[in-house]
Amino acid sequence: MSEKYWIAFGDVHEHLANIHRIKELAGAAGVIVSGDLTNVGDQSRAARIVDAVRSINSRVYAQIGNMDTREVERYLEQAGINIHNRLIRLDRHVHLMGIGYSTPTPFSTPSEVDESQVRSWLKSLAPQAGEAENLIFVTHTPPLGTRADLLRSGTNAGSRAVRNFIETVQPGVCVTGHIHEARSVDHIGNTVVINPGTLASGGYAEISFDGQRLEARLRQV
C-alpha cells in the first residue's frame, strides 16, 4: 500500500500567504484545519481561508477555535466540512475526530466553553473513538501538561479533560494548537501530540499512514 498523508495546520488568523507555500498541500489526501481561521471574523472571512485551501486541495476538514464566531461554525456546517464534536472516516483504516472552541482564556474570546463542556463532548464520542482504527484527534485546546500547552511563562494552559481522553483512548496522533508559542512534538503514552504553531509563522504538520500506523512530523514553509 502506498503511503497516504494529510496536512494539518491551525491558528490561521486570516493570514493566507503561507497556504500557497505548503508544497505538499496539493498531493495530500486531505487538509485539516484545527481552529482559529479568523480574528473574530464572519462567514466571508472564513470562506476566504477555505476557498484558498480548496484552490489547491478540495478535501478540507475544519473546526472553529476560540477566535472564531458561531457564524464561522455555521459556515463550516453549511459547507459540509465541520469536524467539531464528530468522528468521521478519512480512509478505510484512518479516522478523524474534532473538538473545537477552547477552554476559558483571559481575553474573553467569542468561542470559549467550560472544561465541563469539553469533558461532555469527549465523553459522548469516547465509545466510538475507542473503537476507531488509526485515529487522528484534532483539538484546538491542547492537553494539559505537555510541551504543546506550555506558555512562555512556564505555565501549562491546556485541558485536563483533553488529556484524560488521550490517556484513555490513545489516538495515534493528536493535532492541537491555540498556544502559539508551544510549537512542539510530545507524547502521552503512545499518542503523538503535535502543535505546529501558527500558520502565519509557517508552521504545519504532516500526518502519514503507511498502511500500519500513523506518524506525524512538524513542517515549516
Side-chain angles (χ1 to χ4, degrees):
M1 178 184 292
S2 60
E3 184 174 280
K4 285 189 173 182
Y5 70 90
W6 292 264
I7 296 299
F9 54 77
D11 300 289
V12 182
H13 298 293
E14 302 182 34
H15 293 282
L16 291 168
N18 282 335
I19 290 171
H20 301 282
R21 295 174 181 149
I22 301 174
K23 62 182 184 295
E24 303 95 344
L25 203 65
V31 182
I32 301 164
V33 186
S34 64
D36 280 2
L37 289 80
T38 71
N39 290 319
V40 196
D42 58 9
Q43 173 175 329
S44 65
R45 293 185 184 181
R48 285 180 64 234
I49 304 297
V50 172
D51 288 347
V53 177
R54 280 178 162 170
S55 71
I56 304 168
N57 190 312
S58 63
R59 296 173 295 276
V60 181
Y61 310 90
Q63 65 187 15
I64 66 168
N66 59 295
M67 287 294 290
D68 298 309
T69 63
R70 301 302 197 278
E71 183 179 341
V72 171
E73 185 170 35
R74 286 193 294 273
Y75 161 71
L76 297 179
E77 189 69 27
Q78 290 164 4
I81 62 175
N82 188 23
I83 61 170
H84 167 66
N85 199 27
R86 288 186 181 154
L87 192 150
I88 63 174
R89 185 185 294 271
L90 289 180
D91 178 80
R92 183 179 175 187
H93 299 291
V94 180
H95 294 79
L96 174 67
M97 174 183 158
I99 293 292
Y101 295 72
S102 85
T103 49
T105 75
F107 311 109
S108 298
T109 55
S111 294
E112 300 179 9
V113 294
D114 292 338
E115 181 85 355
S116 60
Q117 177 63 76
V118 175
R119 187 180 304 111
S120 177
W121 284 330
L122 292 168
K123 183 178 179 180
S124 70
L125 288 171
Q128 300 173 64
E131 296 179 359
E133 193 178 10
N134 299 300
L135 177 63
I136 302 170
F137 172 41
V138 184
T139 170
H140 187 65
T141 299
L144 182 67
T146 62
R147 294 173 186 163
D149 79 320
L150 194 61
L151 301 175
R152 287 192 181 92
S153 65
T155 300
N156 292 99
S159 163
R160 168 59 66 184
V162 170
R163 184 182 183 99
N164 289 348
F165 175 84
I166 294 172
E167 288 175 341
T168 301
V169 173
Q170 290 284 273
V173 172
C174 169
V175 178
T176 188
H178 187 47
I179 310 300
H180 294 182
E181 61 267 39
R183 174 177 162 86
S184 61
V185 178
D186 206 342
H187 293 80
I188 297 176
N190 294 321
T191 301
V192 179
V193 178
I194 189 163
N195 180 346
T198 68
L199 184 66
S201 65
Y204 64 102
E206 180 184 322
I207 304 158
S208 60
F209 179 64
D210 63 4
Q212 299 294 324
R213 62 190 297 268
L214 293 166
E215 293 188 358
R217 306 170 187 85
L218 285 177
R219 293 287 188 250
Q220 185 77 26
V221 297

Short mmCIF file of all heavy atoms in Angstrom, two decimals, residues 7 13 31 39 42 46 53 64 68 76 83 85 94 103 116 121 125 158 162 167-168 176 178 181 190 206 208 219:
data_model
loop_
_atom_site.label_atom_id
_atom_site.label_comp_id
_atom_site.label_asym_id
_atom_site.label_seq_id
_atom_site.Cartn_x
_atom_site.Cartn_y
_atom_site.Cartn_z
N ILE A 7 -2.24 17.04 5.53
CA ILE A 7 -1.61 18.26 6.03
C ILE A 7 -2.54 18.89 7.05
O ILE A 7 -3.75 19.03 6.82
CB ILE A 7 -1.34 19.25 4.88
CG1 ILE A 7 -0.32 18.65 3.90
CG2 ILE A 7 -0.84 20.60 5.43
CD1 ILE A 7 1.04 18.34 4.49
N HIS A 13 -5.70 32.79 11.58
CA HIS A 13 -5.95 34.20 11.90
C HIS A 13 -5.93 35.08 10.66
O HIS A 13 -5.36 36.19 10.66
CB HIS A 13 -4.96 34.69 12.95
CG HIS A 13 -5.07 33.97 14.25
ND1 HIS A 13 -6.18 34.07 15.08
CD2 HIS A 13 -4.22 33.10 14.88
CE1 HIS A 13 -6.00 33.31 16.15
NE2 HIS A 13 -4.83 32.71 16.06
N VAL A 31 -6.85 18.09 3.94
CA VAL A 31 -6.27 19.21 4.69
C VAL A 31 -7.12 19.44 5.92
O VAL A 31 -8.34 19.61 5.82
CB VAL A 31 -6.22 20.48 3.83
CG1 VAL A 31 -5.57 21.62 4.60
CG2 VAL A 31 -5.46 20.22 2.52
N ASN A 39 -9.97 36.18 12.95
CA ASN A 39 -9.85 37.01 14.15
C ASN A 39 -11.22 37.62 14.42
O ASN A 39 -11.51 38.74 13.99
CB ASN A 39 -8.81 38.12 13.94
CG ASN A 39 -7.41 37.58 13.86
OD1 ASN A 39 -7.02 36.70 14.62
ND2 ASN A 39 -6.61 38.11 12.94
N ASP A 42 -16.30 36.91 10.26
CA ASP A 42 -17.62 36.44 9.85
C ASP A 42 -17.47 35.34 8.80
O ASP A 42 -16.38 34.86 8.52
CB ASP A 42 -18.46 37.60 9.32
CG ASP A 42 -17.81 38.31 8.14
OD1 ASP A 42 -16.79 37.81 7.60
OD2 ASP A 42 -18.32 39.38 7.75
N ALA A 46 -14.04 33.56 6.83
CA ALA A 46 -13.75 32.12 6.90
C ALA A 46 -13.75 31.50 5.51
O ALA A 46 -12.90 30.66 5.19
CB ALA A 46 -14.79 31.43 7.78
N VAL A 53 -7.61 27.25 0.44
CA VAL A 53 -7.17 25.85 0.55
C VAL A 53 -7.77 25.03 -0.59
O VAL A 53 -7.06 24.26 -1.25
CB VAL A 53 -7.57 25.25 1.91
CG1 VAL A 53 -7.17 23.78 1.98
CG2 VAL A 53 -6.93 26.02 3.06
N ILE A 64 -13.97 25.35 14.35
CA ILE A 64 -13.65 26.67 14.89
C ILE A 64 -12.74 26.56 16.11
O ILE A 64 -12.73 25.55 16.82
CB ILE A 64 -14.92 27.48 15.25
CG1 ILE A 64 -15.70 26.84 16.42
CG2 ILE A 64 -15.80 27.66 14.03
CD1 ILE A 64 -16.77 27.77 16.98
N ASP A 68 -12.86 32.26 16.54
CA ASP A 68 -13.89 32.23 15.51
C ASP A 68 -15.26 32.40 16.15
O ASP A 68 -15.48 32.05 17.31
CB ASP A 68 -13.85 30.89 14.76
CG ASP A 68 -12.53 30.66 14.05
OD1 ASP A 68 -12.12 31.56 13.30
OD2 ASP A 68 -11.93 29.58 14.23
N LEU A 76 -19.00 26.57 8.26
CA LEU A 76 -18.34 25.27 8.11
C LEU A 76 -19.36 24.16 8.01
O LEU A 76 -19.18 23.20 7.24
CB LEU A 76 -17.40 25.02 9.28
CG LEU A 76 -16.22 26.00 9.45
CD1 LEU A 76 -15.41 25.62 10.69
CD2 LEU A 76 -15.34 26.02 8.22
N ILE A 83 -15.85 19.48 11.52
CA ILE A 83 -15.49 18.24 12.23
C ILE A 83 -15.69 18.36 13.75
O ILE A 83 -15.45 17.40 14.47
CB ILE A 83 -14.04 17.81 11.94
CG1 ILE A 83 -13.04 18.88 12.40
CG2 ILE A 83 -13.87 17.47 10.47
CD1 ILE A 83 -11.59 18.43 12.37
N ASN A 85 -16.90 18.01 17.29
CA ASN A 85 -17.77 17.07 18.00
C ASN A 85 -18.25 15.95 17.09
O ASN A 85 -19.38 15.47 17.20
CB ASN A 85 -18.96 17.81 18.63
CG ASN A 85 -19.63 17.00 19.73
OD1 ASN A 85 -19.00 16.16 20.37
ND2 ASN A 85 -20.90 17.26 19.95
N VAL A 94 -8.35 4.79 8.53
CA VAL A 94 -7.99 6.02 9.26
C VAL A 94 -9.25 6.82 9.59
O VAL A 94 -10.12 7.01 8.72
CB VAL A 94 -7.01 6.88 8.45
CG1 VAL A 94 -6.64 8.15 9.22
CG2 VAL A 94 -5.74 6.10 8.11
N THR A 103 -11.11 26.19 26.09
CA THR A 103 -11.46 26.46 27.48
C THR A 103 -11.21 27.95 27.75
O THR A 103 -10.59 28.64 26.95
CB THR A 103 -10.63 25.57 28.42
OG1 THR A 103 -9.25 25.66 28.04
CG2 THR A 103 -11.08 24.12 28.32
N SER A 116 -16.08 21.60 31.70
CA SER A 116 -17.14 20.59 31.80
C SER A 116 -17.79 20.32 30.45
O SER A 116 -18.20 19.19 30.16
CB SER A 116 -18.20 21.02 32.81
OG SER A 116 -18.80 22.25 32.42
N TRP A 121 -18.44 16.70 25.65
CA TRP A 121 -18.26 16.35 24.24
C TRP A 121 -17.41 15.10 24.09
O TRP A 121 -17.73 14.19 23.33
CB TRP A 121 -17.60 17.50 23.50
CG TRP A 121 -18.50 18.67 23.19
CD1 TRP A 121 -19.84 18.62 22.95
CD2 TRP A 121 -18.11 20.03 23.06
NE1 TRP A 121 -20.32 19.88 22.68
CE2 TRP A 121 -19.28 20.77 22.74
CE3 TRP A 121 -16.91 20.72 23.19
CZ2 TRP A 121 -19.27 22.15 22.54
CZ3 TRP A 121 -16.88 22.08 22.99
CH2 TRP A 121 -18.05 22.80 22.67
N LEU A 125 -18.25 11.05 22.62
CA LEU A 125 -17.56 10.47 21.48
C LEU A 125 -16.63 9.32 21.86
O LEU A 125 -16.17 8.58 20.99
CB LEU A 125 -16.75 11.54 20.75
CG LEU A 125 -17.55 12.57 19.96
CD1 LEU A 125 -16.64 13.69 19.48
CD2 LEU A 125 -18.24 11.92 18.77
N GLY A 158 -3.34 23.98 29.16
CA GLY A 158 -4.20 23.06 28.43
C GLY A 158 -5.37 22.54 29.23
O GLY A 158 -5.66 23.00 30.34
N VAL A 162 -9.11 16.96 27.97
CA VAL A 162 -8.47 16.51 26.74
C VAL A 162 -7.36 15.51 27.07
O VAL A 162 -7.23 14.48 26.42
CB VAL A 162 -7.92 17.71 25.94
CG1 VAL A 162 -7.03 17.23 24.79
CG2 VAL A 162 -9.06 18.55 25.40
N GLU A 167 -5.27 9.88 27.33
CA GLU A 167 -4.73 8.80 28.15
C GLU A 167 -5.58 7.54 28.05
O GLU A 167 -5.05 6.42 28.05
CB GLU A 167 -4.63 9.26 29.61
CG GLU A 167 -3.54 10.28 29.85
CD GLU A 167 -3.53 10.82 31.27
OE1 GLU A 167 -4.56 10.69 31.97
OE2 GLU A 167 -2.51 11.39 31.67
N THR A 168 -6.89 7.72 27.94
CA THR A 168 -7.81 6.58 27.90
C THR A 168 -7.90 5.96 26.51
O THR A 168 -7.80 4.74 26.36
CB THR A 168 -9.21 7.02 28.37
OG1 THR A 168 -9.13 7.53 29.69
CG2 THR A 168 -10.18 5.85 28.33
N THR A 176 -3.00 19.68 17.69
CA THR A 176 -3.57 20.74 18.51
C THR A 176 -2.99 22.09 18.10
O THR A 176 -2.31 22.21 17.08
CB THR A 176 -3.35 20.43 20.01
OG1 THR A 176 -4.06 21.37 20.80
CG2 THR A 176 -1.87 20.44 20.38
N HIS A 178 -3.71 26.58 19.41
CA HIS A 178 -4.20 27.52 20.42
C HIS A 178 -3.06 28.26 21.13
O HIS A 178 -3.09 29.49 21.22
CB HIS A 178 -5.09 26.77 21.42
CG HIS A 178 -5.78 27.64 22.42
ND1 HIS A 178 -6.45 28.79 22.08
CD2 HIS A 178 -5.93 27.51 23.77
CE1 HIS A 178 -6.98 29.34 23.18
NE2 HIS A 178 -6.67 28.58 24.21
N GLU A 181 3.01 29.85 20.95
CA GLU A 181 4.45 29.70 21.19
C GLU A 181 4.85 28.26 21.50
O GLU A 181 6.04 27.97 21.66
CB GLU A 181 4.89 30.60 22.35
CG GLU A 181 4.23 30.31 23.68
CD GLU A 181 2.98 31.13 23.94
OE1 GLU A 181 2.21 31.35 22.99
OE2 GLU A 181 2.79 31.54 25.10
N ASN A 190 1.25 6.32 24.01
CA ASN A 190 1.60 6.02 22.62
C ASN A 190 1.11 7.07 21.64
O ASN A 190 1.32 6.94 20.43
CB ASN A 190 1.02 4.66 22.21
CG ASN A 190 1.65 3.51 22.99
OD1 ASN A 190 2.84 3.51 23.23
ND2 ASN A 190 0.83 2.54 23.38
N GLU A 206 2.58 17.29 9.02
CA GLU A 206 2.30 16.25 8.02
C GLU A 206 2.04 14.95 8.76
O GLU A 206 2.87 14.49 9.53
CB GLU A 206 3.47 16.09 7.06
CG GLU A 206 3.24 15.04 5.99
CD GLU A 206 4.47 14.83 5.11
OE1 GLU A 206 5.15 15.82 4.80
OE2 GLU A 206 4.75 13.66 4.77
N SER A 208 1.17 11.01 8.28
CA SER A 208 1.24 9.98 7.26
C SER A 208 0.75 8.64 7.80
O SER A 208 0.79 8.37 9.00
CB SER A 208 2.67 9.84 6.74
OG SER A 208 3.56 9.48 7.78
N ARG A 219 6.47 20.53 10.16
CA ARG A 219 6.98 21.07 8.92
C ARG A 219 6.97 22.58 8.99
O ARG A 219 6.27 23.18 9.80
CB ARG A 219 6.13 20.59 7.73
CG ARG A 219 6.23 19.09 7.47
CD ARG A 219 7.57 18.73 6.86
NE ARG A 219 7.64 17.36 6.42
CZ ARG A 219 8.38 16.43 7.00
NH1 ARG A 219 9.06 16.73 8.10
NH2 ARG A 219 8.42 15.21 6.52
#
